Amino acid sequence: MENFTPLTSLAGGLLIGLAAAAMLVFNGRIAGISGITGGVLKADRGDTLWRALFVAGLLVGGFVYGLVAPNAFAITIDRSTGALVVAGLLVGFGTQMGNGCTSGHGICGLSRFSIRSLVAVVTFMAFAALVVFVVGRFFGGTL
Amino acid sequence: MNQKQYVAAFGTGLLFAVGLALSGMTLPSKVVGFFDFSQGLTSWDPSLAFVMGGGMLVYLPVWRLVKGRARPLFDERWRLPTRKDIDGRLVLGAALFGIGWGLGGFCPGPALTSVGALSSKALVMVSAMLVGMVAFQQLEKVRERAKARRDAERQATTTPANGGIAS
């Protein structure tokens, strides 16, 4: 467990929870990042601007954090561009089909004791673990 | 939609990004490390569980506090998911997402935050993610249109052209 960062990960998790809770308390919505991002692309009338602003907040937050602590964005796993493209396509397609990702199903859904979210979380965790196992075992951690 | 909701949406995104970056989830190695038991506990990085736990530690009590209320602060009603059914699409969608997550080490939030931090690899991943999202939405449209057509045809074959009035 040499890379384990319990304190910063817990602190970051608390901030994520606070952000998701603010979305609930103020706007009465789930802070599901894949749903909000997918919604911007769908351009539903009346719902596009707030979604775009949320995504803009993520981007600006990342930009500012990157200026202060660029190491927070160091990519050390060995993945080709092709692998990243396939990963992106699957994440995009899968989150739209399954109505959520780690934020909406994970943090919000599990906290709301949603059965759909529990099924989704168990499923995506299991498949992520399977892929990491296969990439490590049969491809030496490089793809 | 009012001004306050827009400010809240932007502020929420901003805080979310800071949380993600601080938590280490913008490092794909930490995601992969959570699922990596190749060297037993030596290679395992439990950080991801602390991120999820931290998030729920705040969200769960807030949810319990506000769910009985009539409305959120900035809107006249709640806009929350109500579905309870478990269908194949939920499971298949989650499975596909899981495969992509394990492969790239990025889920949507950290990927977008990393694009903000000008990571070119994250930009590749996010571009493909947006294509994947649009692809599913277009497929859905085609499916819905086909279903509407089938329903219309069934309607036409079960009801006689004169509306069922015997002549």
Side-chain angles (χ1 to χ4, degrees), chain B residues 160-167:
Chain B
N162 63 2
I165 302 160
S167 49

Side-chain angles (χ1 to χ4, degrees), chain B residues 91-151:
Chain B
V91 177
L92 181 60
L96 294 174
F97 163 48
I99 294 170
W101 190 30
L103 186 60
F106 273 126
C107 54
L112 284 163
T113 306
S114 300
V115 167
L118 310 179
S119 156
S120 54
K121 286 190 177 180
L123 184 62
V124 170
M125 191 273 172
V126 165
S127 306
M129 180 180 90
L130 298 179
V131 171
M133 286 178 168
V134 172
F136 179 77
Q137 290 166 5
Q138 293 303 317
L139 214 66
E140 268 299 278
K141 269 192 205 158
V142 171
R143 223 176 74 114
E144 272 161 28
R145 243 179 266 141
K147 186 176 179 297
R149 204 166 38 234
R150 270 199 312 275
D151 288 350

Side-chain angles (χ1 to χ4, degrees), chain B residues 65-85:
Chain B
L65 276 173
V66 303
K67 71 171 180 178
R69 308 229 163 182
R71 39 169 268 181
L73 293 176
F74 296 165
D75 205 344
E76 63 274 13
R77 65 178 185 85
W78 299 103
R79 296 167 201 276
L80 301 167
T82 50
R83 284 179 64 178
K84 300 248 187 290
D85 59 307

Side-chain angles (χ1 to χ4, degrees), chain A residues 34 92-101 105 116 120, chain B residues 87-95 97 136:
Chain A
S34 58
F93 196 92
T95 52
Q96 295 304 295
M97 184 182 227
N99 299 110
C101 59
H105 277 315
R116 275 175 63 82
Chain B
D87 60 347
R89 292 150 66 87
L90 176 77
V91 177
L92 181 60
F97 163 48
F136 179 77

Side-chain angles (χ1 to χ4, degrees), chain A:
Chain A
M1 290 198 258
E2 51 209 10
N3 299 315
F4 187 28
T5 52
L7 287 181
T8 49
S9 288
L10 183 67
L14 293 171
L15 289 184
I16 292 169
L18 201 63
M23 179 64 89
L24 175 72
V25 171
F26 293 126
N27 291 6
R29 295 176 187 269
I30 297 294
I33 292 178
S34 58
I36 293 173
T37 309
V40 175
L41 301 170
K42 259 194 244 171
D44 296 330
R45 189 176 300 212
D47 276 326
T48 305
L49 184 57
W50 75 265
R51 286 172 172 152
L53 282 166
F54 176 85
V55 174
L58 276 178
L59 295 171
V60 172
F63 179 72
V64 173
Y65 205 101
L67 291 179
V68 180
N71 285 344
F73 303 93
I75 298 179
T76 53
I77 63 168
D78 212 348
R79 296 288 186 275
S80 64
T81 303
L84 287 174
V85 168
V86 173
L89 289 171
L90 288 169
V91 169
F93 196 92
T95 52
Q96 295 304 295
M97 184 182 227
N99 299 110
C101 59
T102 347
S103 50
H105 277 315
I107 290 166
C108 302
L110 292 184
S111 297
R112 296 168 64 238
F113 297 131
S114 155
I115 298 296
R116 275 175 63 82
S117 291
L118 180 64
V119 170
V121 171
V122 170
T123 307
F124 65 63
M125 288 273 183
F127 276 87
L130 180 70
V131 168
V132 168
F133 172 76
V134 169
V135 173
R137 184 74 185 265
F138 302 107
F139 298 91
T142 305
L143 205 73

